Amino acid sequence: MSVQGIIFSNLHDKNIPELTRRRTMASVPYACRYRLIDFTLSNMVNSGITSVSVITHYNYQSLMDHIGAGKDWDLARRSGGIKILPPYMTAFSNNQNALYNSRLEALKSVNYSLSRFTSDYVVLSDCDVICNIDLNDMINDHVKTGADITMAVKRVLLTKESCKRNVVVDSTEDGRITDVNAYPTNVTGYRDINLNILVMNREYLQSVVLDAIAHGYTSFNRDVLSRNASRRNYRIYKYDGYFATISSMEDYYLHSMELLSSQENRDLVFNVKNRPIYTKVRNSAPTKYSASSNVRNSLVADGCVIDGTVENSILFRGVKIGKGTTVKNSILFQDTVTGENVFLNCVVTDKNVVIRDGRILSGHESLPFFIEKGKMI
Amino acid sequence: MYTKKECVAMLLAGGQGSRLYTLTEKTAKPAVPFGAKYRIIDFTLSNCVNSGIDTVGVLTQYQPLVLNEYIGNGQPWDLDRMNGGVMVLPPYQGSKSADWYTGTANAIYQNLNFINRYDPDYVLVLSGDHIYKMDYSAMLDYHKKMNAAATIAVIDVPIEQASRFGIMNTEEDGRIFEFEEKPKEPKSTKASMGIYIFNRKLLADYLIADENDPNSSKDFGKNIIPAMLAAGERMYAYSFSGYWKDVGTIQSLWEAHMDLLGDDPVFNLYDADWKIYSRSSVRPPHHIGSDAKVVNSIVTEGCEVHGIVENSVLFGGVKIARGAYVRNSIIMNDTQIREGATVSYSIVDSDTEIGAGACIGEAKESGKGITLIGSGLKLPHGATIPAGDMVNEQYLADKKIN
């Protein structure tokens, strides 16, 4: 049984414009040393999927830099391995082949590559999913039930507010999807939400894309799932492990902190036996705590030098915390440097931010103070 | 088809390092873990790469499994090259003879075929036993400038320690006129660092001659260098100043780790211009718990710290439980220190479990020496290990600790 992976690197970029102005959703930094795509890629690699295509849109330079030849995920292969599918624009382009906006359009734009796949099955995944899932189990389920599409779902408690950010899936008792609601407005209670991870038969995927091209379909949820649910065998796969999806800056902050506050969550993501999360190796030195350091409840990557106080915070690689500085409830991206006697609370700094001596900055949990890449304050 | 290389490095990594006791029971000394995420050999390999030397033969003999696996294809050091790169060279069986490496010179002699493939002008001979940062390309420039046949890197040592080293007595311009191995009354303080650059063809001649001498012990320091001096070859001492530490004993290994600590550490791992590369294992970021206290220490990925850690180095995946107290110690990969245990002035090897309330070693000030706990051991609740003891399975059986 051969399986091809397809990763959509851009679909949810609009959700956190602060972080995706200059990068794809896939390359948004997360949890000290990862990029969001690491979770999806690692899930695929840990499930034995060694041929992965990443569909890109714009701003994919940082993604290419991160992935390189794919070595760090063991995807630098002679046969298969990782391929980046850049936006398909022909010369003399007109609005006929403008950039895509949706999942189905993205698939249409890489139809040529899709048509050359020979695997039995295809796993499609978005990049905003933070989880450690055994895709093999899902694929086996897909094969056993003979489904056309199997969709990973998780049962969550929806409120009037939170339902708007999710796709709600209705299914029969035996798991057959009856409806997919992409724009729920007043759905509350325990419902299944779409995790944006799909398993499809390769040939069926190819026919869906050709059909969409022929009919000018644009939405996977509306034009494929909802339209065909009554005729085709679309099924859910219930996942009940840790799952987070990033749909706003607030979400980003919340889920990051959730990982910090709970050993259980960290274990479910990072310490699953035989399923490590891989990322690009940066070769940082270990982190140094000086005699004046005082660190409590924090996640710290390698390469940091800490001379000050850090509480409930997430420090990425190469962060420097000066003497007399206090950092609370904050997320500091790679190579952020704070001077002496700085005070930070609920701050998110992008890469290479410099905060000079004596600065006092504070946001709030509901609105973290964000400092963009390379700024000096 | 091989492309010519100006200089090929030969790294002697076969040493047993018996003074590291259980740390080298199953590993060659160059593969002993160092500095939270490195192994000793990383420093020499990184020096090679940072000096622009991309062809390195690593001569292994004693317990090579871990070292072989660690070096692999050389990718972490950028030494997975189409032409050159890193090559592990174990002793082999030839059609006429088969032999272990009988000495440092013999090891290079047996691999002259490897060196000759790249037709180098120079051969750099190194050992994988030291922690230091050195630009070999500057030494090579010096070698060329002096038009030397051989250049030996030397470091100034205190005169009272000089009798422990091979001492080079030199003219003012650096030319060596005498070499004394561990002299009782040293005439100079220039100690050989065991780093040599030779003109390749000349080295081959001397190695072949030495091989044919049945009385030779096939050693660079004892045979090759004296023979070259006796023949009047142009041999120069290249003075190196900087950090250089042999980590061949438990004491020196511990000291070298402490040299990494402090606001202005004696040995700086954070030098962006001279990165030290290593093979990383895949681990999540480390977590410092709410009740933890970590001061003047180095911590790396995968650690979970809930206790107190002072003046210590924690390797990947180490877990320090609540109420545990670790000071002046080195805790290697995946070791767990349970609730309330105290570890003082100790080196604890990897995959070991120190039971709750156990007491390992004594404060440095007691003067009783460093305690060493071997790898994979399970020390029960409340176990007490006296300061200065070297603990392995036999020790636990003898003392009926289980």
Side-chain angles (χ1 to χ4, degrees):
Chain A
M1 183 178 69
S2 57
V3 184
Q4 168 78 35
I6 295 179
I7 297 177
F8 300 92
S9 69
N10 295 76
L11 282 180
H12 308 277
D13 286 5
K14 295 192 290 291
N15 291 344
I16 29 173
E18 299 93 330
L19 295 175
T20 53
R21 186 148 292 139
R22 291 202 185 86
R23 53 171 80 92
T24 60
M25 193 72 177
S27 49
V28 166
Y30 195 73
C32 285
R33 57 190 299 268
Y34 302 95
R35 305 282 185 145
L36 289 181
I37 196 173
D38 291 336
F39 298 93
T40 307
L41 271 180
S42 301
N43 284 335
M44 289 188 174
V45 170
N46 289 336
S47 305
I49 299 172
T50 57
S51 180
V52 179
S53 297
V54 181
I55 304 180
T56 60
H57 194 182
Y58 44 75
N59 287 351
Y60 57 94
Q61 181 268 331
S62 68
L63 178 63
M64 292 182 70
D65 179 50
H66 180 67
I67 290 175
K71 184 90 209 161
D72 293 318
W73 300 264
D74 214 2
L75 285 173
R77 306 256 175 151
R78 187 142 288 182
S79 156
I82 194 160
K83 281 188 189 69
I84 291 190
L85 303 180
Y88 182 74
M89 302 276 275
T90 57
F92 325 113
S93 76
N94 51 41
N95 59 4
Q96 286 295 300
N97 47 30
L99 283 175
Y100 64 84
N101 285 310
S102 71
R103 186 184 318 273
L104 194 54
E105 285 179 325
L107 288 168
K108 281 156 71 177
S109 78
V110 296
N111 180 44
Y112 178 71
S113 300
L114 291 186
S115 69
R116 291 163 61 96
F117 288 167
T118 55
S119 63
D120 301 324
Y121 302 98
V122 181
V123 174
L124 303 100
S125 178
D126 291 5
C127 272
D128 62 336
V129 290
I130 296 145
C131 66
N132 193 327
I133 183 175
D134 181 4
L135 293 173
N136 267 334
D137 191 54
M138 181 172 172
I139 296 162
N140 288 338
D141 197 63
H142 176 83
V143 176
K144 206 170 70 198
T145 58
D148 295 308
I149 298 177
T150 300
M151 174 190 279
V153 298
K154 184 176 163 92
R155 181 141 290 205
V156 295
L157 180 62
L158 291 177
T159 61
K160 208 174 161 189
E161 199 41 49
S162 72
C163 77
K164 288 180 191 157
R165 297 197 294 267
N166 290 295
V167 173
V168 178
V169 182
D170 292 324
S171 56
T172 62
E173 215 150 81
D174 69 340
R176 189 163 163 192
I177 295 173
T178 52
D179 195 20
V180 175
N181 188 351
Y183 300 98
T185 45
N186 202 6
V187 183
T188 54
Y190 280 98
R191 301 295 289 267
D192 286 335
I193 59 160
N194 179 7
L195 305 187
N196 289 328
I197 301 172
L198 301 173
V199 178
M200 292 176 78
N201 294 3
R202 186 258 309 166
E203 284 171 352
Y204 182 61
L205 172 69
Q206 287 167 340
S207 74
V208 162
V209 172
L210 288 176
D211 189 49
I213 291 171
H215 294 90
Y217 293 155
T218 54
S219 161
F220 198 84
N221 283 326
R222 184 190 64 211
D223 296 326
V224 181
L225 294 175
S226 295
R227 189 185 295 266
N228 300 327
S230 58
R231 288 180 286 130
R232 308 285 316 205
N233 189 11
Y234 298 162
R235 305 186 66 86
I236 57 164
Y237 171 80
K238 290 191 177 184
Y239 171 73
D240 54 7
Y242 177 84
F243 182 87
T245 163
I246 307 292
S247 51
S248 64
M249 191 66 191
E250 185 192 341
D251 255 16
Y252 178 88
Y253 181 81
L254 256 160
H255 289 311
S256 295
M257 288 298 158
E258 184 178 279
L259 216 48
L260 173 61
S261 61
S262 150
Q263 177 73 47
E264 195 195 348
N265 285 345
R266 281 199 301 282
D267 285 344
L268 286 171
V269 179
F270 295 123
N271 298 329
V272 180
K273 206 167 190 280
N274 300 323
R275 300 214 305 266
I277 306 296
Y278 304 92
T279 189
K280 181 182 176 181
V281 172
R282 196 190 175 212
N283 229 307
S284 315
T287 283
K288 196 170 81 179
Y289 294 82
S290 80
S292 56
S293 78
N294 180 9
V295 180
R296 298 285 158 96
N297 191 37
S298 293
L299 277 174
V300 185
D302 269 359
C304 299
V305 177
I306 303 173
D307 292 328
T309 299
V310 180
E311 277 175 36
N312 305 322
S313 294
I314 293 177
L315 308 187
F316 283 67
R317 297 189 269 207
V319 168
K320 304 220 166 19
I321 307 290
K323 280 202 173 67
T325 288
T326 299
V327 175
K328 284 182 170 178
N329 310 310
S330 294
I331 301 174
L332 309 186
F333 283 13
Q334 196 170 306
D335 297 325
T336 292
V337 176
T338 70
E340 295 183 6
N341 304 314
V342 169
F343 179 87
L344 303 180
N345 179 40
C346 295
V347 170
V348 178
T349 63
D350 206 321
K351 282 171 72 175
N352 298 313
V353 165
V354 177
I355 298 167
R356 300 173 69 178
D357 294 356
R359 302 290 187 262
I360 297 170
L361 301 168
S362 182
H364 184 262
E365 280 168 27
S366 59
L367 187 68
F369 187 83
F370 176 76
I371 303 169
E372 71 180 84
K373 193 170 168 178
K375 277 271 178 212
M376 187 185 286
I377 292 185
Chain B
M1 189 54 207
Y2 295 87
T3 321
K4 180 183 169 68
K5 299 280 178 188
E6 188 189 29
C7 182
V8 165
M10 298 298 276
L11 203 166
L12 298 159
Q16 185 176 349
S18 51
R19 287 173 302 160
L20 289 173
Y21 302 95
T22 63
L23 292 179
T24 47
E25 208 167 79
K26 293 185 186 107
T27 0
K29 184 167 145 193
V32 166
F34 184 85
K37 56 186 297 189
Y38 307 96
R39 291 180 187 264
I40 294 171
I41 198 173
D42 284 330
F43 295 84
T44 315
L45 280 178
S46 301
N47 285 342
C48 283
V49 175
N50 290 334
S51 305
I53 293 168
D54 65 1
T55 308
V56 184
V58 179
L59 300 120
T60 60
Q61 176 153 298
Y62 174 79
Q63 287 285 10
L65 174 66
V66 176
L67 191 56
N68 283 347
E69 180 186 59
Y70 186 68
I71 291 174
N73 66 353
Q75 191 261 337
W77 305 270
D78 259 348
L79 286 173
D80 53 336
R81 299 294 173 88
M82 298 223 310
N83 181 47
V86 67
M87 177 83 78
V88 175
L89 302 168
Y92 57 89
Q93 192 165 27
S95 61
K96 292 200 187 71
S97 65
D99 212 342
W100 294 101
Y101 295 148
T102 52
T104 51
N106 174 260
I108 307 288
Y109 168 82
Q110 290 202 41
N111 289 290
L112 279 172
N113 56 352
F114 167 79
I115 296 171
N116 293 339
R117 295 177 116 155
Y118 299 98
D119 189 25
D121 300 324
Y122 308 102
V123 177
L124 168 67
V125 178
L126 302 162
S127 67
D129 297 349
H130 295 88
I131 304 299
Y132 66 116
K133 291 188 270 191
M134 179 175 175
D135 185 354
Y136 303 135
S137 68
M139 181 175 168
L140 184 58
D141 288 345
Y142 175 84
H143 177 84
K144 287 191 267 188
K145 193 179 117 199
M146 293 319 216
N147 195 22
T151 298
I152 299 167
V154 295
I155 189 163
D156 252 326
V157 292
I159 187 88
E160 61 272 18
Q161 287 178 24
S163 52
R164 283 172 35 210
F165 293 90
I167 296 295
M168 302 291 159
N169 300 322
T170 64
E171 314 274 3
E172 232 157 68
D173 69 343
R175 183 157 177 178
I176 301 165
F177 64 87
E178 191 183 21
F179 168 70
E180 294 179 292
E181 183 73 37
K182 299 184 179 154
K184 287 216 173 65
E185 283 165 35
K187 297 184 199 111
S188 109
T189 53
K190 288 184 174 143
S192 167
M193 298 165 70
I195 299 167
Y196 313 102
I197 292 178
F198 296 100
N199 291 351
R200 190 252 306 191
K201 294 209 168 87
L202 194 73
L203 173 67
D205 293 344
Y206 275 93
L207 286 176
I208 292 164
D210 186 64
E211 194 58 27
N212 293 329
D213 176 2
N215 299 320
S216 163
S217 52
K218 318 280 192 277
D219 184 85
F220 273 98
K222 290 193 190 107
N223 307 108
I224 302 292
I225 303 297
M228 290 180 92
L229 267 176
E233 302 288 357
R234 289 173 66 84
M235 300 179 72
Y236 279 82
Y238 173 76
S239 290
F240 171 78
S241 58
Y243 186 86
W244 180 73
K245 182 99 183 169
D246 178 86
V247 283
T249 64
I250 294 295
Q251 179 68 33
S252 63
L253 183 69
W254 182 87
E255 284 169 7
H257 275 92
M258 295 304 129
D259 288 341
L260 306 173
L261 305 179
D263 286 358
D264 189 15
V266 186
F267 187 72
N268 183 8
L269 288 171
Y270 301 84
D271 186 350
D273 297 330
W274 205 268
K275 267 191 153 188
I276 306 300
Y277 301 93
S278 68
R279 188 176 288 280
S280 319
S281 43
V282 181
R283 296 180 193 274
H286 68 263
H287 180 246
I288 308 291
S290 306
D291 310 321
K293 190 177 162 203
V294 183
V295 287
N296 196 36
S297 294
I298 278 181
V299 182
T300 190
E301 284 154 359
C303 291
E304 288 280 346
V305 181
H306 296 286
I308 299 171
V309 178
E310 285 173 3
N311 310 326
S312 295
V313 176
L314 307 187
F315 284 67
V318 166
K319 305 224 169 5
I320 313 274
R322 265 191 192 80
Y325 182 26
V326 176
R327 55 178 167 164
N328 302 316
S329 293
I330 300 159
I331 315 292
M332 292 184 178
N333 291 305
D334 297 304
T335 282
Q336 305 198 21
I337 309 222
R338 302 264 188 234
E339 288 77 5
T342 305
V343 179
S344 312
Y345 196 33
S346 299
I347 299 177
V348 184
D349 203 351
S350 52
D351 300 302
T352 287
E353 201 184 310
I354 309 286
C359 186
I360 313 297
E362 269 179 55
K364 187 174 177 243
E365 295 70 32
S366 76
K368 290 183 185 159
I370 298 167
T371 312
L372 174 68
I373 312 288
S375 87
L377 299 180
K378 209 171 161 182
L379 272 62
H381 292 202
T384 301
I385 305 294
D389 281 10
M390 305 284 156
V391 179
N392 55 16
E393 271 171 34
Q394 191 60 46
Y395 177 100
L396 294 183
D398 290 349
K399 303 255 170 174
K400 299 195 168 47
I401 301 173
N402 47 43

